[in-house]
Amino acid sequence: MKKILFVPIFICFISLSAQEKWSLEACVNHATENNLTIIQNRINEEISENDLQYANNQWLPTANGYFDNSLTLGTNHPSIDKGYQQYTNSLGINSQITIYNGGLLNLNKEKANLVVDSYQFQTETAINDISLLVINYYLNIVLNRELLMIAEGNLAVTEQQLDRSQKLFDNGRIARADLVQAEANVAQDKKTVADAKIEVDRALFNLSVLLQLPDYREFDIETVNISDDIKMGLYDLNQVLATAYAEQPAVKKAEVDLETAGKDIEIAKTGFLPTITGSYNFGTSYADYFNKGLVADAWLSQWHDNLTNVFGVQVNIPIFEKFNNKLNVQKAQISESLAQNNLEQQKQTIRENVQEAYFNANASSIAFETAKESVRSSEISADFAQRSFDAGVLNIYDLNIARNNLVVAQSQMAQAKYNFIFRMKVLDFYAGIPLTEGL
């Protein structure tokens, strides 16, 4: 008997585990860790960090070993006055180090550091974009669940009304048409509830797709209860704009890219400067002849006796480079102008977005307060209609109109509330407040 009971209990445990509720923070974290665009940006960060390490290592000397072998077939050797065959080899190590190149090494390191920062800001921008999208989808689920609750509450009322109408009809107090209308109201409200459930499932599906989950059927979020008593905080538009300029990664990236363009100009100018390179070579050689009369020392003896140390300094002075250096500087200056223009565009975009967010937050606040007032009026009207119907001075058609008006007002208020919440989240985002705070 114990074995029989174990299976359903185990299955139940698996089912409960699969239905783990996701919080908003969990959704945001999952999206930022698994979104393919963000992953690609992080890979670019790793590449830029490797480039930085490469730039940091360029001041180090190079060292290379070599081992050469050759066979010479000559037509005449002066010592024997005839053709000869000679085998030679050499081995050793050589090294080079840059002594001076116009500060190019330091400029490349500084540029590589800036490129790392640029990719990091690009990743932060992608994280912010996906986070806002997750919050929007998350709130859409909460909204549709509230709309479902409104529809279910209205269905409960119409079912009670149908039960009451059935009793009144049985007692001969209302006409058959009134009973049929009550039945039609219940049927319509059941359809509304079914449609609302589909919208909840659709919203869950959309968020699960955004999170790139393998199976949307096992996805659900935590129950979120947000009070209707929400107000817009005090915001100074100029202060929000200043914060956005200072903290938005898109602006920071544009600033870093402008600084990088300045480094490119300095790098291009180093092409006009001389380069000084130091070198050192340590090696030896061996030669052997296959002709009689041409005798060579033993292999190891020659290697020992032929050791050489060569020190050198090479200076390269650019005289004429087909105007390439001049063109490189001009190209870098044009790129700097583009970077400056991009920074201004980013600031303009931020300014427009902040102003739009500020306007939308204020407008949605007014719309929400208006919707709440509409609900209060509709509740009074629906209550009066119900009392009038109960007293027999109002027919079921007019009662249904009043009740439908209340449902519409409640639905509009729910939509206005979550629209207001999201607009506030966008404004909070530009004001430097964490996106997941307050939900």
Side-chain angles (χ1 to χ4, degrees), residues 18-24 26-27 138 141 145 200-201 204-205 207-208 211 213 215-223:
Q19 293 297 322
E20 178 186 359
K21 308 288 186 178
W22 288 60
S23 66
L24 175 60
C27 290
Y138 197 94
I141 296 172
R145 282 184 170 171
V200 171
D201 292 339
L204 285 167
F205 170 77
L207 181 55
S208 69
L211 298 179
L213 299 180
D215 190 348
Y216 73 92
R217 295 170 299 178
E218 298 180 355
F219 175 69
D220 198 4
I221 68 169
E222 292 180 345
T223 301

Side-chain angles (χ1 to χ4, degrees), residues 46-56 108 112 115-116 119:
E46 293 179 7
I47 294 174
S48 66
E49 288 170 357
N50 284 338
D51 290 340
L52 173 59
Q53 187 62 47
Y54 176 86
N56 288 334
N108 282 333
V115 171
V116 171
Y119 276 115

Side-chain angles (χ1 to χ4, degrees), residues 16-66:
L16 289 175
S17 299
Q19 293 297 322
E20 178 186 359
K21 308 288 186 178
W22 288 60
S23 66
L24 175 60
E25 186 175 0
C27 290
V28 171
N29 291 340
H30 181 87
T32 56
E33 291 172 2
N34 296 276
N35 181 265
L36 295 179
T37 300
I38 295 175
I39 291 175
Q40 180 178 344
N41 287 336
R42 285 178 173 149
I43 293 174
N44 288 333
E45 282 185 46
E46 293 179 7
I47 294 174
S48 66
E49 288 170 357
N50 284 338
D51 290 340
L52 173 59
Q53 187 62 47
Y54 176 86
N56 288 334
N57 293 338
Q58 293 311 296
W59 67 271
L60 298 172
T62 61
N64 298 285
Y66 63 89

Side-chain angles (χ1 to χ4, degrees), residues 377-391 393-394 398-399 402:
S377 300
S378 296
E379 286 175 342
I380 295 173
S381 177
D383 181 66
F384 180 77
Q386 185 65 53
R387 292 176 183 273
S388 299
F389 178 79
D390 294 340
V393 297
L394 190 71
D398 294 331
L399 174 63

